[in-house]
Amino acid sequence: MVDATSEIPAAVAKRTGEPAGDPALRAERRLRIPLLAVAAGTVIVLLSVVAGALSWQAYRSAQEVLISASTETVGFVRDSLAEKVKRLLEPAQTQLTFMMESDIAQAATLPERLRLIPVMAVALKNNPLLDAVYVGYPDGEFILFRALPDREARLRLSAPDNAVFVVQTESLAADGQRIGEYRYYDATNALVGSRLDPAYSYDPRTRGWYNAAINQSDAVLTDPYVFFTNKAVGITLAQRTVDGGAVVGLDLRLKALADQIAALRITPSTDMALVNRKDEVVGYRDPDRMVTQDRDGQMRLTTIEELHSDPLLAAFHLSAGGDSLARGRTDIAGRNWQLVQTSIEVMSNRQLKLLIAIPNDEFFAAARALVFRQLVVAVIIMGVAILAAWWGTKLMVRPLRRLARETARIEQLDFDSDTRIGSRVGEIDDLGRALHRMKRTIRKFLNIGHALAAEREMKALIDRVLAETIDVAQSDGGAIFMLDDRQQTIMSETDRWMNGESGPGLKGAAAIPLGGPGIIRKFAEAVRSREVVVAEIAPTEAERAVLGLGETCERLKAERLTFVIVPLLDRNQVPFGLLVLIKATGGGEVVWTVDERLTKLIHAVSGNASVAIQNKLLLEAQKKLIDALIKLVAGAIDAKSAYTGGHCQRVPALTRMLAEAAVRQTEGPYHGFRLNDEEWEALDIAAWLHDCGKVTTPEYVVDKATKLETLYDRIHEVRMRFEVLKGQAETAYWRGLAQGGDEAALRAEMEAEKRALDDDFAFIATCNEGGEFLEPDKIARIKAIADRRWTRTLSNRLGVSYEERKRMEQRPEPPLPVEEPLLQDRYDHIVALEARDIVPPDNPWGFILNAPKVKFNHGEVYNLCVARGTLTDEERYRINDHIVQTIIMLQSLPFPKHLKAVPELAGGHHEKMDGTGYPKRLKGGDMSVIARMMAIADVFEALTAADRPYKKAKTLSEAMKIMGFMKRDNHLDPDLLDLFLISGVWRDYAKRFLLPEQIDEPDIAGILAIKPQPVRA
Amino acid sequence: MQVRRSEIWRRGYRLLGTMALAAISGAVRAAQAETLADYGCEEPIHLAFYEFGPFYHDGIGIDRDVVDELAARTGCRIETTTEPRAQIWQELEANTLDMSTGGIRTDARARFAYFIPYFGLKNAVVAGRDIAPQIHSFDDILENPNWRIGVVEGYLHGPYFDYRLSVAGARVIRYPDQNAIYRALQDGEVQVIVSPAFNYEYFFPSEVQRRDFALIDVSPAPPISEDMLFNKRRFTPAQIGAWSRLFEQMRLDGTLERIFRRQVSPEMARILMTY
């Protein structure tokens, strides 16, 4: 409820486009983000977070892996270098072994020694690390074999271009002179050049390697040093020959190690160095930097400090701490380095320090590349995911938008479309289905509401209620029962079955006592509890019979029936009926789940229905009451005066008959004439009330049977005056006799007087009846008779009403006894008009009246002199006034719209086609058809009425004849009169209401032939 | 061109070296006196030739020219004789001979002689044209038991031939010298002979002869070094070193090849230079 109310201002504001002051609306505007954007944004954020986290994790992991891998790499480098050293030394040692086992020591002559050339050439060729192989002899002679691998080497040793190796010899001449020579050989070991070099003087016996080796049998390995010949850094491996005659030496270049170091670099900027125990760099990627020239021009190995590589120096200063591997980090000139120090065992416990410095940026480049790749993949995945999310969301958004539009249409109560919005997304599909169901339910509800509101007939309404409820609940059928007032029995009002069929049994079934067993007990329970009762039963034959469900069950092949019994409650929550929904659940195949939702739905529908039925019942009751009241009024009018008899009841019947005849017309002037229910109702009410104004007409006027009648017939008073006069005549006789008059004369005079009085009274009495037209002589006689005198000795002002005394006191009372005319028109006979009796010419009702000057003139002569009938002009006006009163009364009633015409219909039956009628002098065309019908009905009924005390009932012929005159005189609508005649309505009416003796064969054709006189303008 | 430049350099160095030595020792020695002592030829050297095709026949040949050149270069007096091969070895061993030409070094011979490489010797087989197409290797010869093989008594032909000849048994017919095996081949006593390649040209100088007999190179081995022999008693290692340098000079200055070309075809001369 709170939600609903709080939404209203926003919705209104939105519709009207007003600037919303509602903070909720402002928030709504501010926060409106398309779902697509939300989905895409969410995907981006989530994927970014995930990708970021994963990438960071991957980066860290990769770093760890790299660090761990770097340990392996370092191990690999170390092993490679160790292997390299091994590979450097092992072949050399093998070669050395071969040579020390050979008879090279015994090669005493130069040619003998040169015979080693093929072997040495192969050795030098096969071991590129071998810089030179040489033999030192105890006599100081020396032979050295050296490869000339490149042009530089050849230039350095002045070798011919085609030389591939050189043999340097130091030999003794015959005279003991040392001869230094170079011999150059080509690839076929052919001598291609030789050179004596007096400057070349090399005595092996002065060299460390020779002296170290000559005194021991094991091989000697020197520390790395700068070779004399080619300034290369290398080591010397030397060993004494087996026979002890010479020392064989091998120079091994460490450049290979440097190359290996360069090749093994982990990253492009990785720096590595091998340092010997004297802190000299013996392996470095740039061999040139391994050699430093001393101040005295000597070439020597560079120390690690002199290498000027800060990272390597930092690695050098790492404390191995007993571990074979020391790690560290340093930051040099803004660059981070991973530092490693480890060692390589070269030979016989000789260690070399391996220093490695790897820049972090390169070291972790792989990790960064990995992260970058991951980010790229993540971005691609994100792109794909965004597209997928876009697509997926679009899949959702499209139906959601349609759902929103659909919801907006529902909000506007637009239920025209019946399309269900589906989606591949289950929830949205469910929502679409739910919305569709909701729409159908609301529409159904509205339809039911509309239907209930539109339904005028109770029966149809109840049918409709049932049909809609069955439809909503999807049951097989149902019925509506009405409770009796005492809630003891139920009576079937209606029932319906699938496909709109009506059931065979329930309709018209007898009242079912609620005290019965089985399902009836459930009915009673619903009535008692005022709650929906659900019951599934296998109805017995008896129950089927009672409910009339036998055939239905058979048709539906139902073994079991599920009943939903809904009590219909009035405003006071008192049950007035039952709505029963029935579903066949035979054979267990069909199960009707009457869940809470369905119960609520049924409850809601039945609640509406209850209200509608209750309303309709109330309405009908009120209508009935009004009908009864109308009839009461009509009856009262009819009962008020026997002179009108059953007029007010017969005129409605006749009007209706005539109207029905008009409706039946398929041709002629009334072809197409139709009346709807409301117009029929107006017709009935108007007909019933057409004379209601007669309530105001004084009874004595209505019923005035004699001319002297007021509230009683004053003929008796007049007669008494005649009696008085007769007595006066007798008194005169006796007075004359007493005074001595002639008895006979007196008697004769008396007798004559009495006879005259008797005649006169008889005449007056006859006149009083008003049965005949009063010719002027009779009027004269009346007036003559009136002139008779009688003596009144009593005051006529005693014992009179206030009103009468007021009238009398207009003049002073004459002294008594007073002689008065036998009949007189006295001033106190005049009843003056009161203000309320005066209808001004500009009256709101449009009455055009010739109102008399006085209200009543009870003058005796005046009344007796009424030429025709018994009514004076004043009284006739008063009679006719009933129609005015009818109109005034009816117009004062708050008729509902559809009955607004009632005053016009009821008040027009004294109008005439030629406009001479009253009270409005309407012409034919100004009147409604029904008013004209009513005029005919009024006339015909009046003419044929058998219950008027003042006249004898006319036969049909007489009545028709008179009506023929009225047709001719443009009093009645000729077309309607023709319809009246042709349709035979008169005959039907006559059969119902006229005495048999009245019914004869009127000259219908003759009357039909009568043409109305042309109406004078 | 190359050789000439080396020569110039060599001579320059040598001059410089000599001058330096002279300066150091303080004594300028006569070049010739030094030379004779350096080569150990204060006394005449007794050298024996042996008949060996183009190298030595009828008192002339490559050996003669080389020995003459050596004598010219060293100033040594070299007295020559011509003897059978086997005898030369005996005399060298018995120290009755100072020098000889063309021998292959073995450990046994090295006990009494120094060896200075002299030329490269390529042994091949010579066979009649009729059977030549069947011979692609020495093993093809061994497989045909009907072929007799002629060799020179006392010759070493290099490991390839020597091992295979040792298994041929009686099919190997030994003759005193090259003339004899070529005669035996032409006479049909043997069907195949093992001979240095240059001797084929030497013994079959005419196209007619070469049409009948083919030279077939069956050995994959490089030419074997044929050395000049020096008596170990007569010469010191230092003197041998000097002689060795002399040969190297003759090789490097082209003298040797020129001598070869006088006796054999250029093709053969190229093989001879291969050692």
Side-chain angles (χ1 to χ4, degrees):
Chain A
M1 202 59 189
V2 172
D3 289 346
T5 51
S6 67
E7 267 181 21
I8 289 166
V12 169
K14 195 172 178 182
R15 266 201 299 278
T16 54
E18 288 164 9
D22 185 357
L25 193 65
R26 279 204 306 274
E28 183 194 346
R29 278 183 188 164
R30 197 167 57 240
L31 294 173
R32 277 176 68 98
I33 306 165
L35 181 56
L36 279 176
V38 171
T42 308
V43 166
I44 290 170
V45 168
L46 284 179
L47 282 179
S48 300
V49 168
V50 169
L54 286 179
S55 298
W56 175 246
Q57 183 59 33
Y59 182 64
R60 295 303 302 267
S61 301
Q63 269 192 333
E64 284 170 19
V65 167
L66 278 176
I67 288 171
S68 138
S70 78
T71 306
E72 288 175 23
T73 307
V74 166
F76 169 72
V77 168
R78 186 180 56 195
D79 293 348
S80 298
L81 289 174
E83 181 67 21
K84 196 76 186 174
V85 170
K86 207 170 152 192
R87 288 220 303 273
L88 189 73
L89 291 174
E90 270 186 356
Q93 278 182 311
T94 307
Q95 284 172 335
L96 194 62
T97 307
F98 275 117
M99 288 174 71
M100 53 182 264
E101 294 285 352
S102 74
D103 53 1
I104 188 164
Q106 294 152 25
T109 65
L110 192 59
E112 285 291 299
R113 291 171 187 167
L114 290 176
R115 279 182 194 280
L116 289 168
I117 280 170
V119 176
M120 291 303 166
V122 170
L124 288 171
K125 192 177 162 191
N126 290 350
N127 188 352
L129 302 177
L130 197 58
D131 192 59
V133 184
Y134 43 87
V135 185
Y137 294 93
D139 58 358
E141 285 193 329
F142 177 72
I143 183 165
L144 178 144
F145 305 87
R146 185 190 302 283
L148 296 172
D150 48 33
R151 184 175 162 76
E152 189 191 349
R154 287 194 289 274
L155 273 179
R156 199 165 52 231
L157 292 171
S158 309
D161 288 344
N162 57 343
V164 297
F165 67 94
V166 62
V167 178
Q168 292 168 244
T169 55
E170 186 78 19
S171 52
L172 296 170
D175 58 359
Q177 294 282 330
R178 299 187 72 82
I179 304 169
E181 291 170 298
Y182 291 84
R183 287 178 176 78
Y184 307 105
Y185 296 87
D186 67 7
T188 62
N189 301 337
L191 183 70
V192 293
S194 69
R195 155 170 91 83
L196 268 173
D197 185 0
Y200 177 52
S201 175
Y202 185 92
D203 188 344
R205 294 169 300 184
T206 65
R207 296 289 164 167
W209 58 271
Y210 180 90
N211 292 319
I214 196 74
N215 295 319
Q216 63 178 67
S217 59
D218 291 339
V220 171
L221 182 69
T222 66
D223 274 331
Y225 63 100
V226 182
F227 288 155
F228 172 77
T229 326
N230 53 18
K231 313 296 182 237
V233 174
I235 52 171
T236 294
L237 190 64
Q239 192 165 8
R240 195 178 65 193
T241 55
V242 175
D243 55 21
V247 173
V248 181
L250 301 172
D251 276 357
L252 294 166
R253 259 175 294 177
L254 290 181
K255 182 178 183 305
L257 213 52
D259 291 344
Q260 188 74 2
I261 285 172
L264 282 172
R265 268 192 297 171
I266 298 159
T267 72
S269 302
T270 295
D271 227 1
M272 282 197 282
L274 277 171
V275 178
N276 67 11
R277 55 191 163 177
K278 290 188 271 180
D279 300 347
E280 290 166 337
V281 178
V282 298
Y284 193 64
R285 59 187 158 82
D286 181 0
D288 293 343
R289 287 175 63 184
M290 288 162 62
V291 180
T292 302
Q293 192 161 23
D294 254 347
R295 285 183 195 133
D296 52 4
Q298 285 291 97
M299 304 302 280
R300 62 166 178 81
L301 287 170
T302 307
T303 63
I304 186 70
E305 279 85 0
E306 290 165 341
L307 194 63
H308 302 303
S309 169
D310 292 339
L312 286 180
L313 193 57
F316 176 74
H317 288 304
L318 285 175
S319 166
D323 199 350
S324 63
L325 183 79
R327 299 195 73 102
R329 284 181 200 174
T330 187
D331 183 354
I332 295 165
R335 201 172 189 191
N336 287 303
W337 296 78
Q338 297 278 324
L339 306 175
V340 180
Q341 189 194 105
T342 183
S343 60
I344 295 172
E345 183 165 328
V346 179
M347 195 180 172
S348 58
N349 296 327
R350 190 167 299 174
Q351 303 275 335
L352 288 178
K353 278 182 187 168
L354 172 62
L355 308 177
I356 303 175
I358 314 164
N360 269 2
D361 51 355
E362 290 177 1
F363 184 58
F364 294 125
R368 283 169 191 163
L370 176 72
V371 170
F372 179 74
R373 276 199 303 278
Q374 280 193 343
L375 282 175
V376 167
V377 170
V379 165
I380 291 168
I381 289 173
M382 205 183 290
V384 171
I386 287 168
L387 284 177
W390 192 269
W391 178 81
T393 312
K394 215 165 176 186
L395 205 67
M396 288 192 285
V397 163
R398 207 174 294 162
L400 277 180
R401 284 187 181 147
R402 290 179 61 199
L403 282 171
R405 281 200 295 274
E406 203 61 23
T407 312
R409 292 173 71 175
I410 291 173
E411 186 192 8
Q412 293 159 6
L413 298 179
D414 174 3
F415 297 102
D416 289 346
S417 80
D418 195 38
T419 48
R420 189 176 89 69
I421 293 156
S423 169
R424 288 180 205 167
V425 182
E427 286 80 356
I428 294 177
D429 197 56
D430 290 347
L431 181 59
R433 187 178 295 130
L435 190 72
H436 187 63
R437 276 208 304 261
M438 182 182 91
K439 200 169 74 175
R440 284 183 59 179
T441 304
I442 294 175
R443 185 169 55 199
K444 197 129 270 181
F445 252 85
L446 288 178
N447 283 348
I448 292 171
H450 283 306
L452 299 186
E455 217 48 84
R456 293 175 180 285
E457 293 298 322
M458 185 65 185
K459 175 75 184 114
L461 172 73
I462 289 176
D463 260 346
R464 189 68 187 257
V465 164
L466 183 59
E468 297 290 357
T469 314
I470 287 170
D471 190 33
V472 164
Q474 296 288 301
S475 69
D476 288 335
I480 288 180
F481 296 90
M482 287 306 208
L483 275 166
D484 69 333
D485 292 343
R486 293 187 303 133
Q487 301 190 348
Q488 296 297 314
T489 61
I490 53 170
M491 175 75 90
S492 170
E493 277 296 319
T494 184
D495 67 335
R496 288 181 78 88
W497 296 97
M498 283 188 302
N499 311 322
E501 295 168 15
S502 266
L506 290 177
K507 205 173 279 180
I512 305 166
L514 277 179
I519 189 65
I520 303 300
R521 192 188 300 280
K522 293 285 179 186
F523 284 25
E525 185 187 325
V527 169
R528 194 172 55 252
S529 66
R530 299 169 190 182
E531 296 287 343
V532 175
V533 173
V534 180
E536 186 180 349
I537 58 158
T540 60
E541 283 299 325
E543 278 175 326
R544 290 182 188 189
V546 167
L547 293 170
L549 290 170
E551 275 183 39
T552 307
C553 286
E554 214 163 279
R555 188 158 46 82
L556 298 173
K557 297 185 173 56
E559 290 173 9
R560 299 184 71 79
L561 294 173
T562 299
F563 286 79
V564 179
I565 306 154
V566 188
L568 301 175
L569 307 176
D570 66 10
R571 284 173 178 74
N572 301 318
Q573 299 297 303
V574 176
F576 65 90
L578 290 173
L579 188 152
V580 180
L581 297 171
I582 306 167
K583 183 137 181 148
T585 48
E589 290 167 12
V590 182
V591 177
W592 196 28
T593 311
V594 184
D595 54 9
E596 197 184 358
R597 186 189 71 83
L598 186 60
T599 310
K600 276 184 177 171
L601 188 65
I602 293 170
H603 213 291
V605 173
S606 68
N608 261 1
S610 290
V611 170
I613 292 170
Q614 190 65 26
N615 280 344
K616 189 58 77 178
L617 284 174
L618 276 174
L619 210 60
E620 289 206 339
Q622 285 182 345
K623 201 172 164 190
K624 275 181 187 165
L625 179 63
I626 286 173
D627 277 352
L629 280 173
I630 287 167
K631 285 171 183 167
L632 179 77
V633 169
I637 292 161
D638 283 350
K640 181 178 167 187
S641 163
Y643 284 77
T644 53
H647 177 73
C648 286
Q649 293 174 44
R650 285 193 290 268
V651 166
L654 186 51
T655 309
R656 185 170 256 275
M657 287 167 79
L658 187 52
E660 285 168 351
V663 168
R664 283 198 299 272
Q665 290 305 298
T666 53
E667 54 187 12
Y670 294 96
H671 162 69
F673 176 75
R674 293 288 180 274
L675 291 176
N676 60 28
D677 291 351
E678 292 172 343
E679 287 166 334
W680 279 117
E681 191 184 354
L683 181 145
D684 283 340
I685 292 174
W688 277 98
L689 292 179
H690 78 285
D691 271 350
C692 68
K694 279 186 179 170
V695 172
T696 64
T697 311
E699 219 171 290
Y700 83 93
V701 177
V702 177
D703 291 350
K704 191 175 179 185
T706 65
K707 292 178 180 174
L708 289 174
E709 187 171 325
T710 53
L711 288 175
Y712 76 105
D713 196 346
R714 290 178 298 174
I715 191 69
H716 303 294
E717 191 186 331
V718 169
R719 191 179 68 244
M720 282 309 294
R721 286 184 208 148
F722 275 93
E723 290 286 358
V724 169
L725 281 177
K726 279 175 81 175
Q728 280 183 355
E730 200 157 330
T731 304
Y733 163 74
W734 288 109
R735 186 178 288 131
L737 200 62
Q739 287 172 352
D742 178 37
E743 193 273 337
L746 285 171
R747 179 168 298 276
E749 193 182 343
M750 182 188 69
E751 291 296 330
E753 185 67 13
K754 279 188 178 176
R755 276 197 300 275
L757 284 169
D758 284 347
D759 282 351
D760 285 350
F761 180 73
F763 174 69
I764 292 297
T766 305
C767 286
N768 190 38
E769 285 177 14
E772 291 172 11
F773 182 71
L774 215 58
E775 284 89 10
D777 57 322
K778 288 182 180 169
I779 292 171
R781 186 181 173 192
I782 290 168
K783 286 180 176 173
I785 291 168
D787 274 343
R788 285 178 181 268
R789 291 287 194 253
W790 71 291
T791 301
R792 177 169 62 89
T793 60
L794 297 171
S795 172
N796 62 355
R797 300 193 183 188
L798 297 175
V800 300
S801 69
Y802 169 76
E803 289 283 335
E804 191 172 1
R805 187 185 300 137
K806 235 173 93 180
R807 285 201 299 273
M808 285 182 166
E809 283 174 356
Q810 288 172 50
R811 295 182 189 178
E813 187 179 13
L816 295 170
V818 61
E819 197 169 76
E820 288 185 339
L822 181 63
L823 299 165
Q824 59 179 343
D825 292 334
R826 270 198 324 267
Y827 66 91
D828 61 289
H829 281 144
I830 305 294
V831 179
L833 286 169
E834 294 171 45
R836 64 177 181 197
D837 298 325
I838 298 165
V839 178
D842 57 343
N843 63 80
W845 305 281
F847 299 143
I848 301 168
L849 302 168
N850 285 321
K853 299 215 169 27
V854 299
K855 188 171 183 181
F856 290 112
N857 186 345
H858 296 311
E860 289 152 350
V861 177
Y862 180 76
N863 275 275
L864 284 169
C865 287
V866 168
R868 195 184 296 273
T870 61
L871 296 174
T872 65
D873 286 346
E874 288 76 17
E875 284 163 345
R876 197 167 294 281
Y877 177 83
R878 202 48 57 190
I879 290 264
N880 287 343
D881 186 50
H882 82 266
I883 193 78
V884 170
Q885 294 306 322
T886 296
I887 291 170
I888 290 172
M889 284 164 69
L890 290 180
Q891 287 212 334
S892 71
L893 290 181
F895 278 111
K897 195 176 176 185
H898 69 281
L899 297 177
K900 284 284 185 204
V902 167
E904 191 269 334
L905 301 180
H909 63 278
H910 283 280
E911 300 287 355
K912 293 175 181 173
M913 295 300 283
D914 58 2
T916 59
Y918 66 91
K920 298 181 182 177
R921 300 190 186 176
L922 299 174
K923 291 194 174 176
D926 300 330
M927 287 189 286
S928 65
V929 177
I930 293 169
R932 283 179 269 155
M933 285 177 177
M934 219 177 290
I936 289 173
D938 191 61
V939 169
F940 186 73
E941 198 282 332
L943 289 172
T944 57
D947 49 4
R948 300 294 196 275
Y950 56 89
K951 67 177 180 71
K952 187 172 169 261
K954 290 186 167 57
T955 62
L956 283 175
S957 307
E958 290 163 343
M960 291 297 185
K961 194 175 173 185
I962 293 167
M963 291 179 82
F965 296 148
M966 296 176 86
K967 178 185 178 188
R968 184 196 62 204
D969 294 342
N970 285 306
H971 289 182
L972 297 177
D973 183 331
D975 292 333
L976 272 179
L977 186 63
D978 290 353
L979 174 67
F980 176 70
L981 298 171
I982 294 164
S983 63
V985 166
W986 54 273
R987 189 178 289 116
D988 297 337
Y989 177 82
K991 281 177 188 165
R992 278 176 64 186
F993 296 107
L994 299 195
L995 300 169
E997 54 268 29
Q998 288 178 275
I999 300 171
D1000 56 2
E1001 280 302 318
D1003 178 14
I1004 300 300
I1007 298 164
L1008 287 173
I1010 292 170
K1011 297 290 174 209
Q1013 286 178 345
V1015 177
R1016 275 173 296 190
Chain B
M1 193 69 179
Q2 193 66 253
V3 173
R4 194 170 293 171
R5 185 181 287 170
S6 299
E7 180 76 2
I8 293 163
W9 278 108
R10 187 188 61 77
R11 287 178 181 170
Y13 277 124
R14 183 146 190 202
L15 183 62
L16 280 169
T18 309
M19 284 167 68
L21 282 172
I24 292 163
S25 65
V28 179
R29 299 193 296 180
Q32 192 161 359
E34 282 175 12
T35 302
L36 290 175
D38 284 344
Y39 297 109
C41 55
E42 298 89 343
E43 304 284 323
I45 294 170
H46 180 209
L47 182 146
F49 293 113
Y50 62 96
E51 290 289 333
F52 192 48
F55 275 82
Y56 191 78
H57 61 94
D58 308 320
I60 59 162
I62 293 168
D63 286 347
R64 167 56 73 191
D65 292 349
V66 168
V67 169
D68 287 350
E69 182 67 24
L70 287 174
R73 291 197 180 208
T74 58
C76 295
R77 195 155 61 90
I78 300 172
E79 295 169 354
T80 61
T81 55
T82 301
E83 294 169 16
R85 193 68 200 270
Q87 190 183 333
I88 289 172
W89 289 118
Q90 288 167 11
E91 285 184 17
L92 277 173
E93 199 169 3
N95 297 318
T96 56
L97 184 66
D98 298 326
M99 280 179 76
S100 182
T101 56
I104 292 174
R105 184 187 180 278
T106 66
D107 284 348
R109 291 168 180 174
R111 281 199 293 273
F112 55 84
Y114 294 121
F115 296 80
I116 293 175
Y118 168 24
F119 62 91
L121 184 141
K122 179 78 184 173
N123 278 311
V125 296
V126 182
R129 288 280 174 190
D130 53 340
I131 62 169
Q134 302 172 41
I135 299 167
H136 303 290
S137 70
F138 203 83
D139 295 332
D140 295 334
I141 300 165
L142 293 178
E143 280 171 14
N144 195 328
N146 297 322
W147 295 340
R148 286 184 300 277
I149 305 158
V151 296
V152 176
E153 176 73 47
Y155 263 41
L156 285 175
H157 301 86
Y160 177 82
F161 292 101
D162 291 343
Y163 283 117
R164 284 167 176 78
L165 288 170
S166 67
V167 298
R171 288 168 58 200
V172 179
I173 313 297
R174 298 178 194 280
Y175 295 90
D177 53 31
Q178 291 286 319
N179 290 332
I181 57 170
Y182 275 91
R183 259 199 315 279
L185 180 65
Q186 284 170 308
D187 294 347
E189 288 176 22
V190 294
Q191 284 69 44
V192 178
I193 61 168
V194 179
S195 162
F198 51 79
N199 273 352
Y200 171 78
E201 289 180 357
Y202 176 76
F203 287 105
F204 298 128
S206 71
E207 283 299 314
V208 178
Q209 287 165 313
R210 291 184 191 178
R211 202 164 54 219
D212 292 339
F213 298 96
L215 178 69
I216 307 160
D217 180 11
V218 294
S219 162
I224 51 175
S225 174
E226 195 79 9
D227 300 337
M228 193 68 82
L229 308 175
F230 292 83
N231 191 312
K232 233 176 175 173
R233 287 279 180 82
R234 169 71 192 263
F235 299 101
T236 65
Q239 288 164 346
I240 293 300
W243 282 106
S244 177
R245 287 181 197 102
L246 204 55
F247 272 91
E248 286 171 355
Q249 286 160 17
M250 285 168 64
R251 178 191 173 93
L252 290 172
D253 64 18
T255 307
L256 207 49
E257 191 168 2
R258 271 198 306 279
I259 293 170
F260 290 156
R261 282 181 179 237
R262 283 206 291 266
Q263 298 296 330
V264 297
S265 68
E267 190 192 348
M268 288 300 163
R270 192 184 53 75
I271 294 171
L272 291 176
M273 287 300 290
T274 307
Y275 64 95

